[in-house]
Each structure stands twice: as C-alpha cells, then as structure tokens.
Amino acid sequence: MTQDEVSGIEVELFLEALRQRYHYDFRAYSRASLVRRIEVARERLGCETLSQLQGRLLREPEVLHEVIDALTVQVSDLFRDPGYYAALRREVIPHLATFSSLKVWVAGCANGEELYSLAILFREEGLFDRTLFYATEINRRALAHARAGIYDIDRVPGFSRNYQQAGGKSSLSDYYTAAYGGAAFNRLLRQRTVFAEHDLATDQVFSEIHLISCRNVLIYFDAALQDRAIGLFAGSLVHGGFLGLGAHETLRFLSGGAAFTPFNEQERIWRRNAHPELTHAE
C-alpha cells in the first residue's frame, strides 16, 4: 500500500470520527481543499500525524472548535461583489416589494458580513421592517461573531467602497460605531434576525423563504452535496423566490438546477420556477 493510500485512509477515519463523535459531516466536501484544511488543523494543534489529531479530537472535546475553524472558510466582506447587491437592489427588490411579509435566508453566513449587507440594503429599500432574516452557519464561533457584528476597523474602507459601488444610498458610517479598533454595526440591523446552527449536509429545509443568499459555499462541496443543498433551497423557496450564489458558482450541470430559471446569470441570481396558480395571497 502506498503512502498516499495510507493518508487517504487516515482522512476517511478522521472524517468518520468527526461525524460519529460530534455529528459534523464533512465527507461530501470537495476532497482536495478539505485535505489542505485538515492539514491546517493538524499543524495548529501541534500534531505530528492525522491519526494523532484524530485521537485528540475523540478524547479532547475542547479541540473541536479549532478543528471546525480550520475546516470551514470564513472569508467575506460587506457587499462583496458589489454588482450582486446592485442587481438585488435594481432587479430583485421590486419583486419582493409586492409581498406583505418576507423571509430571507443567509445560508453559510460566516462572520455575518453578508447578513449585514442585506439588512442595510433592505432597510434602504423600505423592506426591513417586514422581513425576517435567518442567518445560519455550521461554525459556532463564526455564528457568534456574526451575532456580535463587530469587525476590525481596518476593513471598513473596503466595506465602504463596496457599499457605494453596490448603490448605497447613504454613508456606511451611518450603520456602525467605531471604537477601540473595531466597527460595531448597529444592533437594530440584527433585531429581525434568527441566528442558528445549520449544516447543509445533514439538516432540513426552512419554509416559505423569498430570497436565499448562499455565496461561495457550494464551491467547497462535491457534486452530490451541491445537489443536496440545491434541493434544500428549492424546497425552502416560495415559487418565484430567488436564489443568489457566489461569483464562481452555478446551477448548470446540477440536477437540482431544473427547479430554477436564470434571472441574472451574470450576477449568479436564479429564480425558483413559478407555479402557474401562485398568488401573493397564499
């Protein structure tokens, strides 16, 4: 047996231990990037081998958060890819404005940047007070960060540029308070948000969602898990609801994509196929 084959067995045993011990299932994540991130976890925790890391994971629950931090990618910005948010403002909001109440699901919310971007956008477009936001994430530490809404002040100039390019109607400084090297976003922006742990690999759908924004998450899944996630989104959205993905993600070539029609493919926005009898009075 080659060393690569032995390493492959170690990876499989590690993922199975993580699943059985803590119910986190990473087995269907894209393998190449996942292996790199497992190596990051091993190095951070000072383990010489993956088998040693597995032993610590099984016997020392306190290392779980370090492992999950390494295995999940928490890189984002407020109004990341401004064209996406400009398209939501210009093309999607007019459709959503016809509903008396709205639900928005930010799936894989990371540290919360996408949630606050959407909250600001909905506030400026007059939809915030009738919208319930769900911000979900597999990583508990990231979810706590999202709930706190505090970011390094050095990131704010980039946030502000993105906001203006996305069609911002004010100054981003209207939405945060700067102190002690951090920018704390107004707690009112999250007063209509439910924060929850959710695993796209194992958990179930939400209901009657009008917009799902899940950006730069599917790229870390294999094809089978991508299809599962798209099935969850299709089952969660109202007919005619919208799905926004990341700049390098697409529904093409996925079997679940048949439930959607391209709406603005350049900005990776799709629309759930509408039922002919759909009315807003439902």
Side-chain angles (χ1 to χ4, degrees):
M1 183 174 290
T2 68
Q3 185 57 46
D4 285 345
E5 290 172 326
V6 171
S7 297
I9 292 172
E10 281 191 307
V11 169
E12 294 299 332
L13 291 173
F14 174 79
L15 295 176
E16 187 62 25
L18 182 60
R19 185 185 71 85
Q20 290 197 32
R21 180 75 168 86
Y22 301 104
H23 309 292
Y24 285 98
D25 192 351
F26 284 85
R27 294 175 300 169
Y29 280 56
S30 177
R31 191 50 53 98
S33 62
L34 181 60
V35 168
R36 288 194 297 271
R37 285 180 274 139
I38 291 173
E39 282 298 301
V40 170
R42 182 187 63 75
E43 292 174 3
R44 284 182 184 175
L45 288 163
C47 297
E48 293 185 3
T49 66
L50 185 51
S51 295
Q52 183 183 357
L53 176 61
Q54 177 186 316
R56 290 194 64 187
L57 181 68
L58 288 171
R59 295 176 176 82
E60 303 173 34
E62 61 271 19
V63 310
L64 173 65
H65 293 307
E66 293 294 336
V67 169
I68 297 300
D69 280 351
L71 297 190
T72 56
V73 178
Q74 309 299 331
V75 178
S76 190
D77 277 315
L78 255 74
F79 294 94
R80 181 182 183 181
D81 301 321
Y84 169 76
Y85 291 96
L88 290 180
R89 191 188 295 269
R90 182 179 63 250
E91 301 172 30
V92 175
I93 289 293
H95 292 279
L96 298 183
T98 64
F99 290 88
S100 59
S101 63
L102 294 164
K103 292 181 181 179
V104 173
W105 178 12
V106 184
C109 71
N111 292 319
E113 293 95 336
E114 188 173 353
L115 167 68
Y116 291 102
S117 301
L118 289 170
I120 290 169
L121 191 157
F122 275 59
R123 192 172 189 86
E124 292 186 346
E125 297 300 325
L127 302 185
F128 182 82
D129 291 338
R130 62 172 117 159
T131 302
L132 179 63
F133 297 88
Y134 295 95
T136 66
E137 172 59 46
I138 190 175
N139 185 320
R140 293 179 186 176
R141 285 183 176 177
L143 196 63
H145 194 166
R147 188 180 286 111
I150 301 174
Y151 302 97
D152 191 318
I153 196 68
D154 292 340
R155 300 179 65 194
V156 169
F159 290 172
S160 295
R161 285 192 297 273
N162 289 346
Y163 167 72
Q164 294 298 332
Q165 291 171 17
K169 295 184 175 180
S170 182
S171 169
L172 190 64
S173 61
D174 293 341
Y175 299 105
Y176 68 85
T177 301
Y180 305 106
F185 278 79
N186 193 320
R187 62 182 178 81
L188 295 178
L189 291 173
R190 54 186 178 272
Q191 69 177 357
R192 297 189 58 79
T193 299
V194 176
F195 294 91
E197 288 185 55
H198 187 275
D199 186 347
L200 292 170
T202 58
D203 291 330
Q204 298 306 308
V205 302
F206 288 84
S207 63
E208 298 298 304
I209 303 294
H210 298 84
L211 168 65
I212 296 174
S213 195
C214 181
R215 310 194 68 237
N216 307 298
V217 174
L218 297 185
I219 55 175
Y220 298 107
F221 295 171
D222 68 15
L225 185 50
Q226 288 178 353
D227 266 324
R228 184 187 196 278
I230 295 305
L232 287 180
F233 298 156
S236 297
L237 283 166
V238 299
H239 293 287
F242 295 88
L243 170 64
L245 300 179
H248 301 291
E249 297 169 327
T250 182
L251 295 185
R252 293 188 179 277
F253 316 115
L254 294 177
S255 60
F260 294 87
T261 300
F263 183 77
N264 182 329
E265 204 161 3
Q266 179 178 344
E267 298 300 340
R268 300 299 195 268
I269 301 171
W270 278 262
R271 195 169 192 184
R272 180 73 167 87
N273 293 335
H275 191 284
E277 297 177 1
L278 177 70
T279 68
H280 292 182
E282 285 184 338

